[in-house]
Amino acid sequence: MKMKFDKDKCLKLLKERKILQKEGKSLRDYDKAKNDELISYLSLVEDAIFWESGKEYIQILDLFVSKKITLDQFFNQFCGLRGSNLRSARMWKKKLEEEAFVVFPKSTEINIQVNPKSCGFTKIISYLHSLVAACDPDVTLEMNLKQPELLWYGISEEYLRLRIEKDFLPKLEKYCKKS
């Protein structure tokens, strides 16, 4: 079952977490269920932000798979977009934390729209990022295919292209069709 974003509940939990932090306590130690719920809400916010860039991710992956950009260009574009999404997610989370302590909300308070279809999108991008980071120019496709147990020690550019084409592009395209 996919969780729906409840902004009021999220703000309440953020406020409770901050109050406990000021007392030197953590929400996780105080109430694990509430902490898990808050983490789920914040993950939904992050997923929504990453999901909004879905078509850009697909475009970058397509360019790399079709060899229209180099590994360095792919790395810069992919990591640049991911970094931008991470900064946006931090900004939205910070705004939510600030709003949690507003006594009389104004009409200018943030109105975040979290699409439940975006749930889990960030995990795909994070996993792909870990593969990109493992790319090693000294590793060959043959090495990756003959010794799959060593993949996390380094993967070839060709192996990365194969994984993107066979695994990541279909997953991201499926997510983007949901919209």
Side-chain angles (χ1 to χ4, degrees), residues 13-24:
L13 291 169
L14 282 167
K15 187 173 186 175
E16 189 172 348
R17 179 178 76 176
K18 193 68 162 179
I19 290 168
L20 286 168
Q21 285 174 340
K22 286 181 179 179
E23 296 172 0

Side-chain angles (χ1 to χ4, degrees), residues 95-115:
K95 284 182 178 185
L96 283 169
E97 287 175 352
E98 290 168 357
E99 187 175 334
F101 285 92
V102 173
V103 179
F104 300 107
K106 302 175 206 150
S107 60
T108 59
E109 298 303 327
I110 61 172
N111 183 18
I112 187 164
Q113 298 296 318
V114 175
N115 190 324

Side-chain angles (χ1 to χ4, degrees), residues 21 31 34 68 70 72 84 86 103 119 123 133 138-140 146-147 150 155 174:
Q21 285 174 340
D31 189 329
K34 284 184 177 181
K68 292 180 180 169
T70 65
D72 286 340
S84 175
L86 287 170
V103 179
C119 186
K123 285 182 182 180
D138 296 328
V139 176
T140 66
K146 284 187 176 181
Q147 297 177 307
L150 300 177
I155 63 170
K174 182 180 174 187

Side-chain angles (χ1 to χ4, degrees), residues 114-130:
V114 175
N115 190 324
K117 296 174 184 175
S118 67
C119 186
F121 192 84
T122 307
K123 285 182 182 180
I124 296 170
I125 299 301
S126 295
Y127 182 61
L128 177 55
H129 181 260
S130 64

